[in-house]
Amino acid sequence: MDKDANFHLLGQLNTEFNTITAMIDLYCLHHHHHQPNTGKFQRCADCEQFRAYVKQRLDRCPYGEKKPSCKQCPIHCYKSQQKLNSQTIMRYSGPKMLVKHPIMAIRHLIHDKRAVPERNKQMTSNYKARKALVNKI
């Protein structure tokens, strides 16, 4: 994983990352959050680590911005434990997203119904796109 997790995801990848972050937050708030009401939510270490893992996987996705939903994707890039963790979080948070974040939820459901694009040479991961931008400067 990148030592610096402050990189930016481009376009649709950032939207997907924001959606899964909202799902992780809903899950963590209900299952792990044991801090007294300080007025500010902070993810537990496990959820923060999973969030960083998701960001890194989105960054390295070979489909780049044309990425299909993970459920539809022919390439399974999550480790088995992380995939199980993702499924658990999504099963819990998915129905609650319609109430808490309806636009994100509907956008995610629509994205899930799109066909998987054919992979080609023009598709490049976010990681390679970022590195190409840095090299141009």
Side-chain angles (χ1 to χ4, degrees):
M1 185 170 8
D2 276 337
K3 289 183 176 32
D4 178 22
N6 291 326
F7 58 86
H8 294 288
L9 295 168
L10 305 173
Q12 183 65 30
L13 293 174
N14 192 46
T15 303
E16 189 166 338
F17 180 66
N18 290 337
T19 303
I20 190 68
T21 297
M23 289 179 164
I24 291 168
D25 290 349
L26 283 172
Y27 183 83
C28 186
L29 185 62
H30 185 264
H31 289 88
H32 304 141
H33 200 57
H34 301 292
Q35 297 175 355
N37 289 338
T38 58
K40 187 169 187 265
F41 171 73
Q42 189 171 7
R43 274 176 229 100
C44 69
D46 289 340
C47 288
E48 186 58 44
Q49 183 179 11
F50 179 68
R51 183 177 173 270
Y53 178 81
V54 168
K55 188 172 186 179
Q56 187 252 346
R57 294 286 78 200
L58 286 171
D59 188 44
R60 302 299 170 105
C61 180
Y63 281 98
E65 288 194 55
K66 303 265 189 219
K67 179 190 174 313
S69 67
C70 292
K71 185 166 66 171
Q72 305 285 345
C73 191
I75 302 169
H76 298 290
C77 57
Y78 281 27
K79 294 177 184 172
S80 60
Q81 182 59 40
Q82 300 293 13
K83 184 177 179 180
L84 183 63
N85 197 10
S86 175
Q87 289 171 344
T88 303
I89 288 170
M90 287 192 175
R91 279 191 192 113
Y92 175 79
S93 299
K96 290 159 184 57
M97 286 290 286
L98 283 169
V99 175
K100 296 284 189 177
H101 304 284
I103 294 172
M104 279 184 181
I106 291 168
R107 190 181 296 146
H108 182 70
L109 290 172
I110 291 169
H111 179 70
D112 199 33
K113 299 297 181 195
R114 290 186 190 144
V116 176
E118 193 69 32
R119 239 179 112 222
N120 58 45
K121 300 261 186 209
Q122 285 78 30
M123 291 180 181
T124 167
S125 71
N126 187 75
Y127 176 76
K128 287 182 181 176
R130 282 189 303 112
K131 295 303 176 190
L133 285 173
V134 169
N135 291 336
K136 285 183 181 179
I137 297 176

